[in-house]
Amino acid sequence: MNLRDLRYLVALAEHRHFGRAAAASYVSQPTLSTQIRKLEEELGVTLVERTPRRVLLTETGREIVARARDVLHEVEQIRGIARRTRDPEAGSVRLGIFPTLGPYLLPHVVPAVRKRFPKLELLLVEEKTEEVLRRLREGKLDAGVLALPIHDDTLHAELLFEEPFVLAAPKQHPLAQRKTLKLDDLEDQSLLLLEDGHCLRDQALEVCRMSGAGEKTGFRATSLETLRQMVAADVGVTLLPVLAVKPPVAKADNISLVEFRGRAPSRRIAMVWRKSSALAPFLKRLAQVFRELPRELLDAHSLSAPARKRRARS
């Protein structure tokens, strides 16, 4: 038994197809198939049920794949320790981030990361929260930037910042005329929301629950940009995180952004990694760079101030 054969077995478990598993492992299909059979012979058990159309793992195969993943993760930890010992700020870090944050946060922090860690290769993966968590648990990512709470005792969460929401409304909407809002002002409103799987949907639903608002039926957006366009088209109102309305994001002509007064609804953003990670000391330093965003980027007050000044002058 060797690490190569365990990688082949894990690849086969993930792809459930010899050809795709071989391609993912950069070997020929006969090579991968032969090595899996040799592993079965060495262990004296059947790991894979081979059928004409698909590959199924036996119960024993599933148990061994789970252990194989653990072994491969530990090997990566050993390599990580060696890399960080040689040069703590060099090498690669695989970082996952969810779609309603990545495009708006990364332009502000990636230049700072490059300046602070010039030899670091930051490999970014944009996926929904559950997929980031899955890859993190399986060792395919080193860390993730996610919204709290994260319910997993195997993961460490380092709080980065709290990002307030603002209301985005068409210019002619009654709420667009307000200088500020309180949560109760959303009562009986129907908000445009994202589709299932986006953590921002869950956060917006929580705001709806607290304010007495509801969801606009018959529509669920696939992205934050779709939500923005629906508001601009006078379809309805929505909540947007403040980073998604700050430069370099272009302003939409037909959208008014209204801040909440008092304790605004918000989301808490953290960097998350496995508690067992050998990279933990370095990830703490990386998290500090993310934490040092300019204060005005997270300030919703600056969005409405120009509009108030214009109204005052008129």
Side-chain angles (χ1 to χ4, degrees):
M1 190 189 311
N2 55 53
L3 295 176
R4 177 197 61 195
D5 293 343
L6 295 182
R7 289 193 181 94
Y8 291 164
L9 180 62
V10 169
L12 188 59
E14 291 177 353
H15 294 278
R16 302 299 175 98
H17 187 276
F18 277 97
R20 290 193 292 271
S25 303
Y26 304 101
V27 296
S28 67
Q29 182 172 333
T31 297
L32 185 137
S33 181
T34 298
Q35 292 305 124
I36 295 292
R37 283 199 181 277
K38 286 184 177 179
L39 183 59
E40 289 178 317
E41 291 170 4
E42 179 181 350
L43 296 174
V45 294
T46 300
L47 302 173
V48 179
E49 294 180 15
R50 297 162 175 85
T51 67
R53 294 187 177 181
R54 59 179 180 170
V55 172
L56 298 174
L57 292 175
T58 63
E59 183 177 350
T60 300
R62 290 193 295 272
E63 292 181 13
I64 291 177
V65 164
R67 298 281 183 163
R69 285 195 175 107
D70 290 340
V71 170
L72 295 174
H73 294 170
E74 289 303 317
V75 169
E76 284 302 311
Q77 294 299 307
I78 291 170
R79 288 176 174 159
I81 291 170
R83 286 196 305 268
R84 296 303 166 188
T85 299
R86 292 194 303 269
D87 190 345
E89 297 177 359
S92 299
V93 169
R94 302 161 298 175
L95 183 70
I97 191 165
F98 58 99
T100 60
L101 178 66
Y104 315 107
L105 172 65
L106 294 175
H108 301 290
V109 298
V110 168
V113 171
R114 286 177 176 164
K115 183 177 180 180
R116 174 64 180 82
F117 305 112
K119 293 185 287 183
L120 179 70
E121 182 182 38
L122 187 62
L123 303 175
L124 298 166
V125 175
E126 186 179 289
E127 291 285 356
K128 291 180 180 178
T129 295
E130 284 306 313
E131 180 62 15
V132 171
L133 287 171
R134 183 184 71 82
R135 295 190 188 191
L136 191 55
R137 295 182 188 112
E138 293 180 358
K140 295 178 180 178
L141 292 174
D142 298 306
V145 177
L146 301 171
L148 296 176
I150 300 295
H151 303 290
D152 190 326
D153 291 340
T154 69
L155 300 177
H156 170 79
E158 192 85 3
L159 181 65
L160 301 179
F161 54 83
E162 190 163 348
E163 182 184 18
F165 294 121
V166 296
L167 184 77
K171 289 282 189 183
Q172 303 307 314
H173 194 280
L175 291 180
Q177 314 310 313
R178 305 283 189 91
K179 292 182 178 180
T180 60
L181 295 170
K182 58 183 186 295
L183 273 181
D184 290 349
D185 293 328
L186 298 183
E187 187 176 7
D188 299 327
Q189 292 291 323
S190 295
L191 272 61
L192 297 166
L193 300 182
L194 291 169
E195 65 183 359
D196 289 335
H198 289 278
C199 62
L200 183 57
R201 172 180 174 79
D202 297 332
Q203 295 150 6
L205 284 172
E206 177 63 15
V207 174
C208 289
R209 184 191 65 79
M210 293 188 296
S211 64
E215 177 181 4
K216 190 173 184 65
T217 58
F219 172 82
R220 288 186 182 180
T222 57
S223 71
L224 212 55
E225 293 313 304
T226 304
L227 278 184
R228 199 192 309 270
Q229 293 305 316
M230 291 300 98
V231 175
D234 204 11
V235 175
V237 302
T238 193
L239 294 172
L240 293 177
V242 72
L243 283 174
V245 296
K246 291 293 182 81
V249 179
K251 292 183 178 180
D253 292 337
N254 193 40
I255 296 179
S256 289
L257 302 171
V258 189
E259 67 174 298
F260 290 88
R261 62 179 178 268
R263 179 68 174 171
S266 63
R267 61 183 181 181
R268 299 169 70 232
I269 304 299
M271 187 174 290
V272 180
W273 59 82
R274 294 179 301 280
K275 290 179 179 178
S276 61
S277 175
L279 301 181
F282 174 75
L283 292 173
K284 280 184 174 289
R285 298 201 296 276
L286 180 62
Q288 184 58 33
V289 177
F290 278 70
R291 193 179 285 121
E292 293 170 353
L293 281 175
R295 182 175 299 179
E296 61 269 18
L297 285 176
L298 299 172
D299 180 14
H301 179 71
S302 62
L303 293 170
S304 54
R308 286 200 297 270
K309 289 177 182 178
R310 286 194 298 271
R311 285 196 291 266
R313 286 197 297 269
S314 63

